């Protein structure tokens, strides 16, 4: 990909908090990946275990 | 095409060999223990202990196999296809990303200045931009970051190629920080070098990584092997030696096993931005931390996702000139380990993630085992104590009407000794062989010579054995905390001088000392003869505060005028970028310029090949 320094634009600093320097405004999407199957025995077991622990106020 | 792309059968052969050996040795150890336990008849406790020995030995053997593979696999560098002569060495633009989080700004930005100078010496600054990606929550530190950044730009003349951005909200921690950059500016760059705040890399190494990425269009991520530098404490220097002396060999073993599905350790690695954006958008896991929420150990997951999308992920052990810093004391190490433990155990949610390569799943499993396996040893020790309580009274006359003389239980102590020798062998042999290999090949010269290398190896073995029970206790607590739903959060890494007084060490480890004391007293009450056997575990626990405080002190110079214990190559012949960093930092922070080490007149690019 070619991108010359002249193409750089100042970003809207409000979005990023604080900005020094003209970061290139060149968005690139990062689609969310699927990592969990909708529901499995394993995920249910973990969910049940986590819920049990939290109910007993041992966690968090 | 890189030779690594054509070596799938070799990869599978290496994996199969290592796995078969590790499983075989695990079963052999379990069977040997059963024989030993059968002397007075097999009890349920014997089966339990045999199972725990089997699992522990499997894990030890797997690590030992990696070391052996590293020793015996090809040590030649990766063969990189030459680019056409009329094509510039580097074509694509690279963003060098420096995420910071409540770090002391001057050392971090001095590293950036040193890396920029190193690239400038190669005439490559126009191909690289630096982005300081701050997630700092402390406003005072953030103000200091801005001041030092302005000085950095002024001194390096870097306006337009160095940027500073601080997020208003640090969603997703480090992974979210990188992701935010890519979503805003990623399309401007072909590659991104992801660093940590304490990372330092030679310009020549960075350029070589770009070249390798350009030479292999399927390469999505290239990981370098960072060496630990600047350690001053006894603990830190032992870790630094270990990372320089053993890690390259173990990493070469890992590289043999990985195939296209290599590791990502979160920093000192280069990614192809398009591949990373396309594959590595991390979801937020359902539920609350520690098992739900944002993915904590994101690097392993990103490596797995790149591999899932068909990209090659590789560690090139031959890349020199890549550095990081490590914890200076056991407490800081344990804090970092607590975070890694939570991140690795969280991966249990992803073991069955759709579409992952089998090796990626195995890597997740390895990460989980790394924290669970020490519990097997703890379980074995506990079960061995319980076995004494539960042992049946020996029956000397099992057939009272048919025998004249008593039948004594078989004494199978020899089998227990064989087992112990085997386990110690698995622990010690790879490291001793690495020392012998280093002396044989001349690699030990970088570590002060063959004698100093051996002395350092033996001292490291002794030191790591002594602190092992303390580490075991911290790991056990970490696993228990995660299992009971306690979130570690994202504590700031302590960098710099980590000297601890005895009071601070006591405050952080008294629970270990008291557990050790209670354990020894209990066993003494139960059966005094067993106390002697438990002393190697009990004593380090009992004296954990003293051990932690002592090991955090700065280690002294060599006493005999020879090479210092735990000498590493970065001390004998520091890389130019390290010297440049120290010089810049000394000037910035007002240390007398004469005391500051100076870089050579024209910094040499790092040797790309070991």
């Amino acid at each position: 990909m070619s991108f010359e320094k002249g193409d750089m634009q100042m970003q809207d600093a409000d979005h990023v908090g604080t900005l020094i320097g003209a970061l290139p405004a060149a968005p690139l999407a990062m689609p969310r990946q699927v990592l969990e199957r909708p529901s499995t025995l394993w995920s249910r077991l973990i969910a049940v275990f986590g819920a049990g622990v939290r109910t007993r106020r041992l966690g968090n | 095409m890189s030779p690594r792309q054509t070596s799938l059968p070799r990869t599978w052969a290496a994996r199969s060999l290592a796995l078969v050996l590790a499983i075989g040795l695990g079963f052999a150890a379990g069977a040997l223990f059963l024989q030993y336990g059968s002397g007075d008849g097999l009890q349920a406790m014997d089966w339990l202990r045999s199972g725990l020995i089997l699992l522990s030995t499997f894990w030890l053997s797997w690590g030992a196999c990696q070391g052996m593979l590293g020793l015996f696999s090809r040590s030649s560098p990766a063969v990189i296809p030459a680019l056409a002569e009329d094509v510039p060495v580097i074509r694509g633009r690279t963003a060098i990303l420096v995420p910071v989080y409540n770090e002391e700004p001057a050392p971090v930005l001095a590293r950036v200045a040193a890396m920029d100078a190193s690239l400038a010496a190669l005439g490559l600054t126009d191909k690289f931009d630096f982005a300081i990606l701050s997630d700092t929550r402390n406003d005072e530190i953030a103000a200091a970051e801005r001041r030092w950044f302005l000085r950095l730009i002024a001194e390096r003349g870097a306006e337009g190629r160095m940027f500073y951005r601080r997020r208003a909200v640090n969603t997703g921690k480090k992974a979210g920080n990188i992701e935010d950059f890519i979503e805003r500016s990623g399309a401007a760059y072909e590659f991104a070098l992801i660093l940590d705040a304490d990372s330092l890399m030679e310009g020549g190494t960075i350029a070589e990584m770009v070249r390798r990425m350009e030479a292999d269009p399927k390469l999505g991520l290239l990981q370098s092997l960072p060496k630990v530098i600047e350690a001053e404490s006894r603990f830190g220097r032992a870790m630094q030696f270990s990372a320089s002396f053993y890690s390259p060999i173990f990493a070469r073993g890992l590289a043999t096993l990985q195939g296209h599905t290599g590791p990502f350790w979160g920093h000192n690695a280069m990614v192809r931005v398009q591949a990373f954006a396309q594959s590595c958008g991390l979801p937020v896991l359902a539920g609350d931390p520690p098992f739900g929420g944002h993915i904590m150990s994101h690097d392993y997951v990103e490596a797995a996702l790149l591999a899932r999308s068909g990209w090659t992920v590789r560690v090139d052990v031959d890349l020199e000139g890549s550095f990081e810093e490590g914890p200076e004391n056991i407490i800081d190490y344990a804090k970092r380990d607590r975070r890694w433990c939570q991140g690795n155990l969280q991966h249990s949610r992803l073991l069955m993630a759709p579409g992952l390569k089998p090796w990626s799943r195995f890597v997740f499993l390895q990460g989980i085992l790394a924290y669970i396996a020490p519990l097997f040893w703890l379980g074995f020790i506990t079960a061995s104590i319980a076995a004494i309580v539960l042992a049946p009274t020996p029956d000397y006359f099992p057939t009272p009407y048919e025998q004249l003389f008593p039948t004594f239980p078989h004494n199978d102590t020899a089998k227990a000794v064989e087992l112990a020798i085997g386990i110690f062998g698995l622990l010690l042999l790879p490291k001793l062989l690495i020392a012998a290999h280093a002396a044989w090949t001349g690699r030990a010269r970088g570590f002060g010579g063959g004698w100093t290398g051996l002395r350092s190896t033996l001292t490291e073995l002794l030191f790591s054995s002594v602190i092992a029970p303390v580490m075991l206790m911290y790991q056990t607590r970490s696993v228990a905390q995660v299992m009971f739903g306690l979130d570690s959060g994202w504590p700031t890494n302590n960098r710099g001088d980590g000297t601890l007084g005895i009071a601070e060490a006591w405050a952080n480890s008294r629970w270990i000392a008291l557990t050790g004391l209670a354990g020894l007293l209990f066993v003494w009450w139960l059966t005094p003869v067993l106390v002697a056997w438990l002393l190697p575990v009990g004593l380090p626990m009992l004296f954990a505060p003293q051990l932690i405080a002592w090991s955090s002190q700065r280690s002294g110079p060599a006493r005999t005028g020879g090479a210092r214990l735990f000498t590493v190559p970065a001390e004998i012949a520091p890389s130019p970028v390290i010297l440049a960093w120290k010089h810049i930092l000394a000037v910035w922070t007002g240390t007398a310029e004469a005391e500051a080490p100076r870089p050579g007149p024209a910094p040499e690019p790092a040797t790309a090949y070991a």
Side-chain angles (χ1 to χ4, degrees):
Chain A
M1 161 161 304
S2 71
F3 186 90
E4 298 304 321
K5 285 211 172 107
D7 298 338
M8 292 180 184
Q9 296 164 20
M10 191 67 185
Q11 282 193 324
D12 181 356
D14 289 344
H15 285 294
V16 291
T18 312
L19 183 67
I20 306 174
L23 260 172
L28 191 59
M30 284 190 78
R32 301 289 122 213
Q33 300 298 311
V34 176
L35 278 172
E36 290 184 288
R37 295 178 196 277
S39 178
T40 61
L41 181 61
W42 181 238
S43 64
R44 277 185 214 154
L45 276 173
I46 286 176
V48 167
F49 179 80
V53 167
R54 275 189 292 281
T55 311
R56 285 171 178 75
R57 292 179 166 274
L58 288 169
N60 296 324
Chain B
M1 180 176 280
S2 157
R4 287 162 201 234
Q5 286 175 282
T6 58
S7 62
L8 262 183
R10 187 169 156 257
T11 302
W12 279 103
R15 287 175 188 175
S16 309
L17 178 71
L19 209 55
V20 166
L21 260 175
I23 291 173
L25 286 171
F27 272 99
L32 208 56
F33 188 84
L34 273 186
Q35 283 182 26
Y36 162 71
S38 66
D40 55 350
L42 280 177
Q43 322 297 324
M45 269 301 162
D46 294 324
W47 287 102
L48 175 68
R49 286 191 289 170
S50 169
L52 289 167
I53 279 281
L54 188 156
L55 291 168
S56 305
T57 310
F58 161 73
W59 182 243
L60 274 181
S61 311
W62 178 250
C65 283
Q66 273 190 31
M68 294 302 193
L69 275 172
L71 272 175
F72 295 113
S73 58
R74 211 160 29 93
S75 59
S76 57
V79 179
I80 307 302
L83 297 168
E85 280 188 8
D86 56 340
V87 176
V89 175
I90 291 176
R91 288 161 295 171
R93 291 189 65 218
T94 302
I96 300 178
L97 309 181
V98 186
V100 291
Y101 178 70
N102 294 337
E103 316 278 347
E104 197 186 336
V108 176
L109 296 180
R111 285 187 196 98
V112 172
M115 286 187 275
D116 187 54
S118 186
L119 285 166
L122 300 172
L124 290 172
T125 46
D126 61 323
K127 298 289 183 191
F128 295 90
D129 289 348
F130 283 86
I132 317 301
L133 306 177
S134 172
D135 260 355
T136 294
R137 300 297 91 203
N138 181 312
D139 286 337
E140 277 180 34
I141 298 176
E145 282 174 1
R146 291 195 291 275
R147 282 198 304 277
W148 282 108
F149 179 74
L150 291 173
R151 177 165 184 174
L152 168 70
I153 293 206
E155 287 198 5
R156 293 300 312 156
E159 207 167 334
R161 59 184 184 84
M162 284 192 190
F163 314 105
Y164 170 90
R165 183 276 275 132
R166 182 185 174 209
R167 287 200 295 173
V169 182
N170 62 338
T171 311
K173 310 292 189 306
K174 184 182 169 185
N177 196 0
I178 302 287
E179 200 171 305
D180 178 86
F181 172 84
I182 288 178
E183 285 182 335
R184 292 174 190 284
S185 306
Y189 301 97
E190 207 162 323
F191 309 110
L193 179 70
I194 299 176
L195 300 179
D196 250 0
D198 61 358
S199 298
L200 186 62
M201 290 183 76
E202 279 289 350
T205 308
I206 299 170
E208 176 63 17
M209 289 176 85
V210 175
R211 203 178 81 82
R212 293 185 186 195
M213 297 290 288
E214 289 186 339
D216 184 354
K218 290 297 288 173
L219 186 55
L221 187 148
L222 180 59
Q223 173 71 59
S224 68
L225 178 66
K227 305 269 168 54
V228 176
I229 54 167
E230 294 303 297
E232 288 296 340
S233 71
R234 292 176 175 125
F235 174 79
R237 285 178 55 77
M239 296 276 294
Q240 177 177 268
F241 172 78
S242 186
S244 277
F245 198 62
Y246 310 132
S247 293
I249 307 295
F250 279 93
R252 203 157 68 207
L254 178 69
T256 310
L257 293 168
Q258 71 189 4
H260 294 184
T261 323
F264 176 31
W265 298 320
H267 55 91
N268 295 43
M270 190 168 284
V271 296
R272 191 177 299 277
V273 175
Q274 286 285 354
F276 194 79
Q278 175 196 79
S279 318
C280 298
L282 295 180
V284 179
L285 301 179
D288 295 325
F291 287 101
H294 288 283
I295 293 173
M296 216 166 173
S297 290
H298 55 92
D299 39 13
Y300 279 32
V301 180
E302 286 157 349
L305 288 172
L306 279 166
R308 181 170 81 171
S309 302
W311 295 98
T312 300
V313 179
R314 205 171 79 195
V315 56
D316 279 3
V317 186
D318 59 298
L319 283 166
E320 294 287 327
S322 176
F323 308 102
E324 64 170 334
E325 290 181 18
E328 285 281 57
N329 60 59
I330 294 175
I331 305 294
D332 284 345
Y333 182 92
K335 277 185 197 164
R336 187 183 71 174
D337 210 45
R338 166 69 178 85
R339 189 157 49 87
W340 287 359
C341 171
Q342 183 171 329
N344 283 18
L345 294 185
Q346 192 188 34
H347 291 162
S348 59
R349 290 277 299 270
L350 310 177
L351 279 171
M352 301 310 290
L356 293 186
K357 304 262 185 194
W359 183 254
S360 299
R361 297 186 203 280
F362 186 70
V363 168
F364 287 156
L365 189 64
Q366 272 192 98
I368 295 165
L369 271 177
Y371 287 94
I372 299 290
L375 300 190
F376 299 149
W377 284 118
L378 191 64
F380 177 77
I381 293 168
T382 313
S384 295
I385 295 168
I388 292 167
V389 183
L390 302 173
T393 313
D395 183 2
Y396 298 109
F397 295 94
T399 51
Y401 301 106
E402 296 169 21
Q403 66 179 105
L404 188 59
F405 299 105
T407 304
F408 292 105
H410 292 295
N411 185 352
D412 280 327
T413 309
K415 296 224 164 32
V417 172
E418 281 170 32
L419 186 61
I421 289 172
I423 288 170
F424 277 108
L426 285 173
L427 274 170
L428 307 182
L429 193 65
K431 290 184 174 180
L432 290 175
L433 282 179
I434 288 171
H437 177 264
W440 179 259
T441 57
R443 182 173 164 254
R445 277 195 295 274
F447 296 86
W451 168 238
T452 307
L454 181 64
R455 214 161 45 98
S456 300
T457 304
L458 294 175
T459 312
E460 194 278 333
L461 279 170
L462 179 69
F463 180 63
S464 57
S465 305
V466 170
I467 65 170
V470 180
M471 297 300 197
L472 171 68
M473 293 310 286
Y474 278 120
Q475 280 196 333
T476 305
R477 186 176 72 168
S478 297
V479 172
Q481 285 177 336
V482 174
M483 296 310 284
F484 284 113
L486 286 170
D487 181 17
S488 72
W490 196 263
T492 308
N493 286 327
N494 289 335
R495 304 200 202 276
D497 182 23
T499 308
L500 296 172
I502 190 73
E504 202 176 348
W506 168 252
N508 281 285
S509 62
R510 60 185 165 214
W511 66 277
I512 298 177
L514 294 174
T515 308
L517 179 66
L520 285 175
L521 285 175
F522 175 69
V523 173
W524 181 73
W525 169 75
L526 201 64
T527 166
V529 74
L530 200 63
V531 170
W533 291 96
L534 282 177
L535 283 181
V537 177
L539 278 183
M541 285 172 66
L542 194 58
F543 293 105
Q546 287 82 356
L547 200 57
I548 289 169
W550 175 82
S551 62
S552 76
Q553 308 300 312
R554 289 170 81 94
S555 76
R559 283 182 190 164
T560 54
R564 198 178 174 196
L565 193 69
F566 294 140
T567 292
V568 293
E571 291 173 332
I572 293 177
S575 193
V577 77
I578 298 175
L579 293 175
W581 167 56
K582 286 184 174 178
H583 178 69
I584 293 164
L585 185 61
V587 173
W588 280 12
T589 52
T591 312
E593 208 168 323
E595 290 174 18
R598 283 170 170 281
E604 294 285 324
T607 318
Y609 297 128

